[in-house]
Amino acid sequence: MKMYPAIDLKCMTIAPVGMKMQPVMFPAEDSRTEFRVDFCEAMGKKMYFVFALDPNMSEEDKKKNFDLLEKENGVMKEWLHEVQWENGYTVGSTGEPDINPK
């Protein structure tokens, strides 16, 4: 699997580089309480991408996932930047499709 990061040039958007991604963790049965984590190396740096189907995951579930990620893969929470969602955000409320409805 490859990820193609987009670069906005204002007059057009390009995706010139394909980054080979390796799965690290994947949620069982489309669980909304587990992380999906992918990894790649780019320019000598290790890059981890953490996704969740529900951006409003409980702090308890996040802690369990981060603990598991560190224990099983040596990836520490401190290495990652967490996206902050507005309180009350629901999947689909900004027009994006919910590709995994409940």
Side-chain angles (χ1 to χ4, degrees):
M1 164 178 69
K2 286 192 175 187
M3 178 177 72
Y4 295 87
I7 300 170
D8 184 358
L9 301 175
K10 302 304 176 201
C11 60
M12 72 176 114
T13 301
I14 62 172
V17 178
M19 299 166 63
K20 184 177 180 192
M21 304 300 289
Q22 300 171 357
V24 176
M25 289 173 61
F26 200 84
E29 298 181 25
D30 295 331
S31 171
R32 291 180 177 266
T33 61
E34 296 176 12
F35 287 162
R36 172 187 174 167
V37 182
D38 293 316
F39 161 83
C40 73
E41 285 196 42
M43 296 181 280
K45 301 272 185 189
K46 294 180 179 180
M47 299 175 65
Y48 293 90
F49 298 86
V50 179
F51 305 95
L53 289 175
D54 186 350
N56 298 312
M57 186 183 290
S58 73
E59 291 302 317
E60 180 183 335
D61 286 334
K62 286 181 193 176
K63 181 175 179 357
K64 278 194 267 184
N65 281 280
F66 281 123
D67 289 348
L68 187 63
L69 189 57
E70 183 175 355
K71 180 181 175 186
E72 292 186 357
N73 300 286
V75 178
M76 301 181 67
K77 177 182 179 181
E78 293 77 23
W79 299 350
L80 307 168
H81 171 75
E82 185 173 349
V83 174
Q84 299 297 312
W85 295 91
E86 291 182 23
N87 288 341
Y89 169 82
T90 57
V91 175
S93 66
T94 59
E96 78 282 9
D98 184 357
I99 59 171
N100 243 352
K102 295 179 185 173

